[in-house]
Amino acid sequence: MRLDPEEVLLRKSLLMLDFDGPVCSVFAGYPAPQIALELITSIGEHSAQLAAVLKGESDPMEVLRAAARSLSRDRVKQIDEQLSRAEMKAVETAQPTAGMADLIEVARRAGIGVVIVSNNSSDPIGSYLTRCGLDVAVDHVIGRPFGRPEQMKPDPYLLNQALKVTGLPASRACFIGDSVTDVEAGRAAGVTTIGYANKPGKAERLERAGVHFVVDSF
């Protein structure tokens, strides 16, 4: 199913977008499993036990979450900083998601604000938007709070921050994400949630999580 901008954006004043997936494939040239392994190696310098538990984990965000549950806040900040540097490198080769730039332009022409709400770090997101000429079309970037991975999605904190900074109620916002955690965060924040099913089997997972709409193309 293709996204119908008029149907989805009708009576909305804010379009919130997850970054990795809906906007671009962040780790297209610098694979997420490689970054996860690098983070686990760093964790092993302080906790061989945790590194052993994380062996085989391919999602750097899950590595960061695990670090927050087991390591000191200072160590977590070090891991977060390392991940942010990796993300900055990754966005240099990130691949744009087809149709998203056009959707952002449709929203802007309709007077709808656009905010990036992402578990990725803000600076790499800003770097990518500038490189692709989208920085002027995006009003705010709400990235993961440094050293506070517990506030990443599925927690609604980031979405609530977007609503707060724009001064809009949840009923006037919609959120496009591509993961179950995105759907959970969107539902917790009370916004209309659109799932981007860009891989086989994802539509079913998003629907089970309670997404309002599922699309496979923008």
Side-chain angles (χ1 to χ4, degrees):
M1 172 181 173
R2 291 183 180 274
L3 185 144
D4 180 346
E6 292 186 2
E7 177 184 356
V8 171
L9 300 179
L10 187 66
R11 292 183 293 277
K12 300 298 183 184
S13 301
L14 178 63
L15 173 62
M16 296 190 287
L17 300 169
D18 180 38
F19 183 60
D20 185 22
V23 176
C24 67
S25 178
V26 175
F27 304 109
Y30 187 6
Q34 180 181 342
I35 296 172
L37 178 59
E38 292 166 359
L39 297 179
I40 293 168
T41 300
S42 295
I43 287 173
E45 298 173 1
H46 308 290
S47 174
Q49 182 179 6
L50 179 57
V53 170
L54 289 171
K55 184 178 180 181
E57 176 58 62
S58 61
D59 185 343
M61 300 301 170
E62 291 305 314
V63 174
L64 180 59
R65 290 185 206 273
R69 291 191 294 266
S70 303
L71 303 179
S72 69
R73 185 63 67 180
D74 286 343
R75 295 299 187 203
V76 173
K77 288 181 178 179
Q78 290 174 359
I79 298 300
D80 199 337
E81 185 175 354
Q82 181 180 349
L83 176 54
S84 296
R85 291 195 301 269
E87 290 170 324
M88 186 65 79
K89 178 181 177 181
V91 297
E92 295 176 1
T93 52
Q95 294 297 310
T97 298
M100 179 49 69
D102 293 332
L103 179 61
I104 291 173
E105 178 59 25
V106 168
R108 299 298 298 185
R109 288 202 305 266
I112 295 169
V114 179
V115 177
I116 305 294
V117 182
S118 173
N119 286 349
N120 294 114
S121 186
S122 297
D123 286 346
I125 296 171
S127 177
Y128 173 86
L129 295 176
T130 299
R131 178 168 69 85
C132 295
L134 292 174
D135 52 319
V136 295
V138 173
D139 298 298
H140 302 283
V141 173
I142 312 286
R144 77 171 174 274
F146 179 67
R148 296 284 179 181
E150 67 274 10
Q151 293 180 326
M152 297 192 302
K153 296 169 287 180
D155 192 284
Y157 174 81
L158 299 175
L159 279 75
N160 287 333
Q161 287 296 107
L163 296 173
K164 181 178 179 181
V165 76
T166 58
L168 292 168
S171 60
R172 300 287 293 175
C174 62
F175 172 52
I176 299 178
D178 71 330
S179 69
V180 168
T181 55
D182 287 330
V183 176
E184 291 171 345
R187 289 184 63 84
V191 302
T192 299
T193 306
I194 304 157
Y196 175 42
N198 55 346
K199 295 179 181 177
K202 185 173 283 191
E204 292 77 11
R205 293 194 295 273
L206 296 174
E207 288 169 353
R208 286 196 297 269
V211 73
H212 292 97
F213 301 95
V214 174
V215 300
D216 57 19
S217 173
F218 299 120

